[in-house]
Amino acid sequence: RNRQRLETVAKQCRAAPAILLAEGDLEKVTQQATVVIAAAGPYAVCGEAVVRACVSSKTHYVDVAGETVWMHDMLQRYHEEAKSKGVVLVNACAQVCAIDDINCYLLAQRLGPLKNFREYFFSYGGTTGGTFLAGAL
């Protein structure tokens, strides 16, 4: 996102992380991996290139996105090709959905099998920069 900031952080690492700027670089990385875990957004801005590279390289993909419109778009664009190549695409793994998943699990443990699960919540506070930016696109 900001090369100078990335280089500053990279200098503090024990290993020598690469800074990827072009999609060609991204494909080189995904070709060397079995699974890519994408944990930096906003996904609506920088996520599709990672999904595309993973599907192209036959590399499984996991993210922690909470951007439902973006997730829908990615599944519409890449599901069939990923499925035909045996690639698993997993969105919203933990961060945003974990509380809902845990609540549903605990209810099912207490009440038995559920026909439906619907949760309502109310919160105070603001959005993260990534969430705000994704909603503004």
Side-chain angles (χ1 to χ4, degrees):
R1 300 200 240 185
N2 178 313
R3 185 180 182 94
Q4 187 175 6
R5 288 164 115 182
L6 289 171
E7 288 172 347
T8 300
V9 170
K11 288 177 187 174
Q12 298 171 9
C13 295
R14 290 183 199 158
I19 298 172
L20 308 176
L21 296 176
E23 281 193 46
D25 294 339
L26 195 53
E27 288 222 14
K28 289 176 189 172
V29 170
T30 59
Q31 289 169 356
Q32 298 174 45
T34 302
V35 178
V36 168
I37 300 171
Y43 293 92
V45 174
C46 56
E48 183 169 4
V50 180
V51 173
R52 182 175 39 251
C54 284
V55 172
S56 175
S57 303
K58 297 182 181 178
T59 301
H60 303 300
Y61 171 88
V62 177
D63 70 34
V64 293
E67 302 167 29
T68 53
V69 173
W70 177 81
M71 291 185 286
H72 176 268
D73 290 347
M74 293 305 97
L75 291 174
Q76 291 293 315
R77 290 183 196 143
Y78 298 102
H79 172 73
E80 289 302 323
E81 183 181 356
K83 184 177 176 181
S84 71
K85 292 181 173 183
V87 174
V88 177
L89 303 177
V90 179
N91 296 115
C93 184
Q95 184 177 345
V96 174
C97 63
I99 302 302
D100 300 331
D101 290 346
I102 292 167
N103 286 341
C104 185
Y105 173 78
L106 292 173
L107 271 173
Q109 290 294 308
R110 176 72 79 149
L111 303 175
L114 304 174
K115 290 182 182 180
N116 289 316
F117 174 74
R118 185 179 296 176
E119 182 177 60
Y120 299 92
F121 68 93
F122 182 81
S123 67
Y124 290 98
T127 59
T128 67
T131 302
F132 173 77
L133 184 57
L137 295 175

